[in-house]
Amino acid sequence: MYADAQLDVTHRTRCAAAAQLVLPPGVVIAGRSAAALYGATTVANNEPVDVLVPAGQRFGPVSGLVVHAGAIDEVDVIRRQGIPLTTPTRTCWDLAQWLPTEEAVAIVDRLAHKHLVALAPLRANARARVGDREWKRMTRVADLADAGSESTPESRLRVRIVLARIPPPVTQFVVEHDGRFVARLDLAWPHLKVAVEYDGLWHDDPEQLHRDRRRLNRLLGEDWIVLHVTAKRLREDFDGFLDELRQALRSRSR
């Protein structure tokens, strides 16, 4: 496709171009691309567009597209600004099949956080389809999802903690003292007063670091154990972090 040199070619632009000029009737934008159009994830401008082709219909391969095939019902498709794409609920099902569990849950978290899907019906629908090829993966993703998660790294961290057989934490738990706000925690086990905070790149901001450490001091005054995880540690020493978390939970359980 040719376009004006001044055009900002985003992933959304690529989705719109594919829908208007390339995709035959019945083929729709799906997966991560659909989630990006809903604002639930970010897809790089140069990444290919996910499309879903109805079972039995032939299409592709096409450069710039990742072509998936599967059954599509009319209720699975909507149009947004002229672009045919899978509904949020159908998008969750496809993500559960096409992505690793950790990545799928992170996007479903965002869809739920934006109130585009409700997790209880999603879980019930997955269990009602026992025997379908997709139901086990969808059930696993739906059970791990949490609408309270506020960022993709937090979602990934929470999923990895739960998959390590540690009891699920409460997301975005608010600590109060005498009815007054003290802090809000990324992940918490309130009955044990143990919390985990994900330190992203924004912690490089000195002012934010100052606010964060002041908040931590208040938490220590409330007798909380707070463990911090950076992207580097999540990537390179997650087992070491899990040992520390298990020890903190065990010490408080006693």
Side-chain angles (χ1 to χ4, degrees):
M1 292 298 128
Y2 291 88
D4 189 293
Q6 302 302 313
L7 180 67
D8 183 17
V9 183
T10 64
H11 192 73
R12 181 181 183 82
T13 307
R14 293 165 65 86
C15 290
Q20 294 174 23
L21 303 168
V22 179
L23 303 186
V27 180
V28 299
I29 306 297
R32 291 175 67 237
S33 296
L37 294 178
Y38 288 122
T41 191
T42 301
V43 181
N45 296 343
N46 61 346
E47 289 191 62
V49 175
D50 280 319
V51 300
L52 181 61
V53 180
Q57 181 174 336
R58 298 188 64 180
F59 175 70
V62 177
S63 177
L65 304 181
V66 176
V67 179
H68 308 268
I72 310 176
D73 295 328
E74 287 187 12
V75 295
D76 291 334
V77 181
I78 62 171
R79 282 187 171 268
R80 286 171 65 102
Q81 299 180 346
I83 302 175
L85 70 160
T86 50
T87 63
T89 298
R90 175 55 193 262
T91 300
C92 291
W93 279 81
D94 292 331
L95 292 169
Q97 313 314 312
W98 302 345
L99 296 181
T101 298
E102 183 179 318
E103 297 301 315
V105 172
I107 300 177
V108 174
D109 278 359
R110 298 303 301 155
L111 288 167
H113 186 76
K114 294 169 72 67
H115 304 291
L116 293 170
V117 294
L119 294 180
L122 191 67
R123 290 166 182 150
N125 185 253
R127 288 181 171 82
R129 293 173 61 174
V130 171
D132 285 4
R133 184 173 58 85
E134 311 96 341
W135 80 274
K136 285 187 178 180
R137 290 184 64 88
M138 185 66 253
T139 299
R140 182 176 180 81
V141 168
D143 284 345
L144 287 167
D146 188 320
S149 182
E150 292 193 339
S151 74
T152 296
E154 288 176 23
S155 293
R156 291 173 177 157
L157 174 60
R158 188 192 75 252
V159 171
R160 292 184 68 178
I161 287 173
V162 175
L163 292 180
R165 300 183 181 279
I166 291 174
V170 176
T171 56
Q172 302 303 317
F173 181 74
V174 174
V175 179
E176 295 182 339
H177 181 76
D178 293 334
R180 299 183 63 181
F181 175 84
V182 175
R184 187 171 63 165
L185 300 162
D186 293 340
L187 306 174
W189 292 261
H191 63 296
L192 300 175
K193 286 195 170 183
V194 174
V196 171
E197 289 278 275
Y198 180 80
D199 288 348
L201 294 175
W202 57 270
H203 282 80
D204 292 338
D205 176 7
E207 183 59 31
Q208 179 59 52
L209 182 63
H210 167 71
R211 291 194 296 269
D212 190 56
R213 291 302 175 254
R214 184 174 59 184
R215 179 171 61 97
L216 177 59
N217 289 342
R218 290 200 300 266
L219 285 168
L220 293 175
E222 296 295 322
D223 199 30
W224 279 79
I225 296 175
V226 183
L227 304 178
H228 289 260
V229 184
T230 62
K232 179 179 175 66
R233 187 139 199 232
L234 187 60
R235 184 175 61 251
E236 299 178 3
D237 186 33
F238 188 67
D239 287 342
F241 160 74
L242 286 178
D243 289 341
E244 294 170 6
L245 177 56
R246 289 189 180 102
Q247 178 57 38
L249 295 172
R250 279 196 300 267
S251 68
R252 284 300 171 85
S253 295
R254 300 192 193 107

Tab-separated table of all heavy atoms in Angstrom, residues 169-188:
chain	number	residue	atom	x	y	z
A	169	PRO	N	-2.503	-12.826	45.256
A	169	PRO	CA	-2.551	-11.589	46.042
A	169	PRO	C	-3.770	-10.749	45.684
A	169	PRO	O	-4.430	-10.980	44.674
A	169	PRO	CB	-1.263	-10.870	45.607
A	169	PRO	CG	-1.085	-11.304	44.175
A	169	PRO	CD	-1.571	-12.724	44.105
A	170	VAL	N	-4.043	-9.757	46.515
A	170	VAL	CA	-5.058	-8.752	46.224
A	170	VAL	C	-4.386	-7.634	45.442
A	170	VAL	O	-3.294	-7.179	45.796
A	170	VAL	CB	-5.662	-8.194	47.533
A	170	VAL	CG1	-6.648	-7.073	47.235
A	170	VAL	CG2	-6.333	-9.310	48.329
A	171	THR	N	-5.012	-7.191	44.368
A	171	THR	CA	-4.422	-6.122	43.555
A	171	THR	C	-4.884	-4.751	44.049
A	171	THR	O	-6.026	-4.574	44.467
A	171	THR	CB	-4.809	-6.282	42.075
A	171	THR	OG1	-6.236	-6.332	41.970
A	171	THR	CG2	-4.224	-7.563	41.499
A	172	GLN	N	-3.952	-3.793	43.993
A	172	GLN	CA	-4.231	-2.392	44.325
A	172	GLN	C	-4.943	-2.270	45.677
A	172	GLN	O	-5.973	-1.619	45.815
A	172	GLN	CB	-5.052	-1.737	43.214
A	172	GLN	CG	-4.399	-1.768	41.858
A	172	GLN	CD	-3.030	-1.106	41.854
A	172	GLN	OE1	-2.843	-0.038	42.449
A	172	GLN	NE2	-2.058	-1.723	41.188
A	173	PHE	N	-4.345	-2.898	46.692
A	173	PHE	CA	-4.935	-2.886	48.036
A	173	PHE	C	-4.643	-1.555	48.733
A	173	PHE	O	-3.499	-1.078	48.748
A	173	PHE	CB	-4.369	-4.033	48.868
A	173	PHE	CG	-4.935	-4.098	50.253
A	173	PHE	CD1	-6.222	-4.552	50.471
A	173	PHE	CD2	-4.180	-3.683	51.349
A	173	PHE	CE1	-6.757	-4.604	51.747
A	173	PHE	CE2	-4.703	-3.733	52.628
A	173	PHE	CZ	-6.004	-4.198	52.830
A	174	VAL	N	-5.665	-0.969	49.304
A	174	VAL	CA	-5.533	0.320	49.987
A	174	VAL	C	-5.332	0.086	51.485
A	174	VAL	O	-6.132	-0.590	52.134
A	174	VAL	CB	-6.777	1.200	49.759
A	174	VAL	CG1	-6.686	2.488	50.600
A	174	VAL	CG2	-6.917	1.543	48.288
A	175	VAL	N	-4.238	0.653	52.007
A	175	VAL	CA	-3.938	0.578	53.437
A	175	VAL	C	-4.438	1.865	54.096
A	175	VAL	O	-4.132	2.968	53.631
A	175	VAL	CB	-2.422	0.424	53.682
A	175	VAL	CG1	-2.132	0.365	55.186
A	175	VAL	CG2	-1.885	-0.813	52.985
A	176	GLU	N	-5.209	1.714	55.167
A	176	GLU	CA	-5.725	2.870	55.902
A	176	GLU	C	-5.363	2.738	57.378
A	176	GLU	O	-5.152	1.638	57.882
A	176	GLU	CB	-7.247	2.972	55.756
A	176	GLU	CG	-7.716	3.253	54.339
A	176	GLU	CD	-9.226	3.391	54.256
A	176	GLU	OE1	-9.914	2.883	55.177
A	176	GLU	OE2	-9.714	3.998	53.293
A	177	HIS	N	-5.292	3.870	58.048
A	177	HIS	CA	-5.055	3.899	59.492
A	177	HIS	C	-6.024	4.892	60.110
A	177	HIS	O	-6.009	6.080	59.769
A	177	HIS	CB	-3.611	4.315	59.801
A	177	HIS	CG	-3.309	4.347	61.278
A	177	HIS	ND1	-3.110	3.210	62.020
A	177	HIS	CD2	-3.201	5.393	62.156
A	177	HIS	CE1	-2.880	3.524	63.279
A	177	HIS	NE2	-2.924	4.846	63.390
A	178	ASP	N	-6.877	4.392	61.002
A	178	ASP	CA	-7.902	5.230	61.628
A	178	ASP	C	-8.741	5.943	60.572
A	178	ASP	O	-9.093	7.132	60.715
A	178	ASP	CB	-7.259	6.256	62.575
A	178	ASP	CG	-6.621	5.590	63.786
A	178	ASP	OD1	-7.073	4.480	64.144
A	178	ASP	OD2	-5.680	6.172	64.349
A	179	GLY	N	-9.045	5.227	59.474
A	179	GLY	CA	-9.881	5.791	58.424
A	179	GLY	C	-9.165	6.709	57.471
A	179	GLY	O	-9.786	7.266	56.552
A	180	ARG	N	-7.853	6.889	57.651
A	180	ARG	CA	-7.098	7.789	56.782
A	180	ARG	C	-6.209	6.979	55.835
A	180	ARG	O	-5.609	5.983	56.219
A	180	ARG	CB	-6.235	8.751	57.612
A	180	ARG	CG	-7.041	9.647	58.529
A	180	ARG	CD	-6.146	10.627	59.269
A	180	ARG	NE	-5.479	11.526	58.349
A	180	ARG	CZ	-4.618	12.473	58.726
A	180	ARG	NH1	-4.347	12.626	60.016
A	180	ARG	NH2	-4.049	13.254	57.838
A	181	PHE	N	-6.126	7.449	54.597
A	181	PHE	CA	-5.332	6.765	53.578
A	181	PHE	C	-3.851	6.765	53.936
A	181	PHE	O	-3.287	7.786	54.327
A	181	PHE	CB	-5.533	7.460	52.223
A	181	PHE	CG	-4.672	6.915	51.121
A	181	PHE	CD1	-5.060	5.793	50.410
A	181	PHE	CD2	-3.470	7.534	50.787
A	181	PHE	CE1	-4.274	5.290	49.383
A	181	PHE	CE2	-2.680	7.039	49.765
A	181	PHE	CZ	-3.078	5.914	49.062
A	182	VAL	N	-3.231	5.590	53.817
A	182	VAL	CA	-1.784	5.468	54.034
A	182	VAL	C	-1.072	5.188	52.725
A	182	VAL	O	-0.116	5.867	52.358
A	182	VAL	CB	-1.474	4.341	55.047
A	182	VAL	CG1	0.036	4.135	55.174
A	182	VAL	CG2	-2.082	4.651	56.404
A	183	ALA	N	-1.533	4.163	51.978
A	183	ALA	CA	-0.865	3.796	50.728
A	183	ALA	C	-1.745	2.847	49.933
A	183	ALA	O	-2.670	2.221	50.469
A	183	ALA	CB	0.483	3.138	51.014
A	184	ARG	N	-1.451	2.736	48.650
A	184	ARG	CA	-2.080	1.728	47.806
A	184	ARG	C	-0.976	0.840	47.256
A	184	ARG	O	0.020	1.325	46.710
A	184	ARG	CB	-2.859	2.376	46.658
A	184	ARG	CG	-3.669	1.363	45.861
A	184	ARG	CD	-4.585	2.025	44.877
A	184	ARG	NE	-3.848	2.778	43.867
A	184	ARG	CZ	-4.398	3.210	42.744
A	184	ARG	NH1	-5.684	2.981	42.506
A	184	ARG	NH2	-3.689	3.882	41.867
A	185	LEU	N	-1.159	-0.469	47.383
A	185	LEU	CA	-0.119	-1.438	47.059
A	185	LEU	C	-0.459	-2.217	45.792
A	185	LEU	O	-1.607	-2.598	45.574
A	185	LEU	CB	0.058	-2.412	48.225
A	185	LEU	CG	0.468	-1.762	49.545
A	185	LEU	CD1	0.202	-2.709	50.716
A	185	LEU	CD2	1.936	-1.374	49.501
A	186	ASP	N	0.563	-2.468	44.971
A	186	ASP	CA	0.354	-3.206	43.726
A	186	ASP	C	-0.243	-4.586	44.006
A	186	ASP	O	-1.272	-4.957	43.454
A	186	ASP	CB	1.677	-3.372	42.973
A	186	ASP	CG	2.225	-2.050	42.472
A	186	ASP	OD1	1.438	-1.087	42.357
A	186	ASP	OD2	3.435	-1.987	42.173
A	187	LEU	N	0.444	-5.359	44.853
A	187	LEU	CA	0.014	-6.718	45.200
A	187	LEU	C	0.145	-6.886	46.705
A	187	LEU	O	1.160	-6.492	47.278
A	187	LEU	CB	0.877	-7.760	44.485
A	187	LEU	CG	1.002	-7.647	42.960
A	187	LEU	CD1	2.022	-8.662	42.435
A	187	LEU	CD2	-0.340	-7.854	42.287
A	188	ALA	N	-0.861	-7.471	47.328
A	188	ALA	CA	-0.812	-7.579	48.794
A	188	ALA	C	-1.502	-8.842	49.285
A	188	ALA	O	-2.441	-9.349	48.665
A	188	ALA	CB	-1.462	-6.352	49.434
